[in-house]
Amino acid sequence: MSYPSWQPGEGPKDPQARQRPGGVPSWRGQGGQPPVWYGQGGPPQPGHADGSHSMLASHADRERAVDVLRAGFGEGRMEQAEFEKRVARAYAARTVGELALLVADLPQGPVPLPAAVGAVPRTFLPLPVPKTNEKAIGSAICGGLCLVTVGLTGLPAVILGHSARSEIRRTGEGGDGLALTGLVIGWLATASWTLVVTLLLIAALTTG
């Protein structure tokens, strides 16, 4: 891709390209100035005249032109040297018409990339997090309460723990560690109460 050899405000140097029927230069708008269509999606249609072609460019206008140049350079539409030359001319441009000439042969923004074809392979998808079994949570809670209730919730912890582990093996839910914790604490509490009751009975029988 080569940059046009004519400067902003000048016409093409090919005499045949300079004229159209009626003796009016084909590239000029009203008043002999270059047409301005920057930011309007394309060059004006025949018969259309825009009186703002000589409007002084603002900083925002220059930045928009440079953004279009960056997009074209990123898509490989121009070489590094040409890109740097156009950017320098964009920042030095005085009018909106000069900016329009710099981006005339580029799309007004980056071309959208095509959507990915096909679904993502299942191997690369994140693994679903299994649901935690509710009975396993209850077993762990009852096991923790054994310290507060002096082991009175040990038996519920054992029952819920065994039931939870059975459901986890069948359904693949999570929470096996919670159920196992509740089971261990529950069995310890139950064994402690069993030992206490046994000693009390032996003492009662001995003293009786």
Side-chain angles (χ1 to χ4, degrees):
M1 178 184 299
S2 61
Y3 190 77
S5 59
W6 43 276
Q7 302 296 322
E10 298 180 358
K13 294 183 179 181
D14 183 3
Q16 295 180 355
R18 294 171 62 92
Q19 300 293 329
R20 63 182 176 185
V24 180
S26 61
W27 62 274
R28 295 180 181 272
Q30 292 182 350
Q33 297 295 329
V36 176
W37 49 269
Y38 175 72
Q40 299 179 2
Q45 300 299 322
H48 174 75
D50 190 344
S52 62
H53 49 267
S54 60
M55 180 187 301
L56 292 178
S58 66
H59 294 304
D61 293 330
R62 296 185 183 92
E63 291 299 334
R64 281 192 291 268
V66 172
D67 286 342
V68 174
L69 293 173
R70 287 196 185 102
F73 175 69
E75 294 166 2
R77 299 179 186 274
M78 68 183 81
E79 299 297 331
Q80 177 77 25
E82 182 181 357
F83 168 70
E84 294 176 354
K85 178 181 177 182
R86 291 200 188 193
V87 169
R89 295 185 64 178
Y91 282 122
R94 289 280 297 163
T95 65
V96 177
E98 296 176 36
L99 295 175
L101 292 176
L102 291 173
V103 298
D105 56 351
L106 295 173
Q108 301 300 300
V111 177
L113 297 176
V117 179
V120 179
R122 188 173 182 180
T123 305
F124 301 101
L125 293 176
L127 295 177
V129 179
K131 176 186 175 182
T132 303
N133 187 276
E134 296 179 356
K135 292 182 179 180
I137 298 175
S139 176
I141 293 174
C142 290
L145 291 176
C146 286
L147 302 176
V148 180
T149 61
V150 197
L152 294 178
T153 56
L155 187 59
V158 172
I159 296 174
L160 289 173
H162 281 295
S163 178
R165 299 197 73 189
S166 176
E167 291 183 1
I168 289 171
R169 285 192 295 269
R170 186 175 67 255
T171 62
E173 293 179 326
D176 186 69
L178 295 176
L180 185 60
T181 301
L183 273 174
V184 172
I185 298 176
W187 275 119
L188 290 175
T190 302
S192 299
W193 271 106
T194 302
L195 180 60
V196 170
V197 171
T198 301
L199 292 177
L200 290 176
L201 288 175
I202 293 174
L205 292 176
T206 304
T207 57

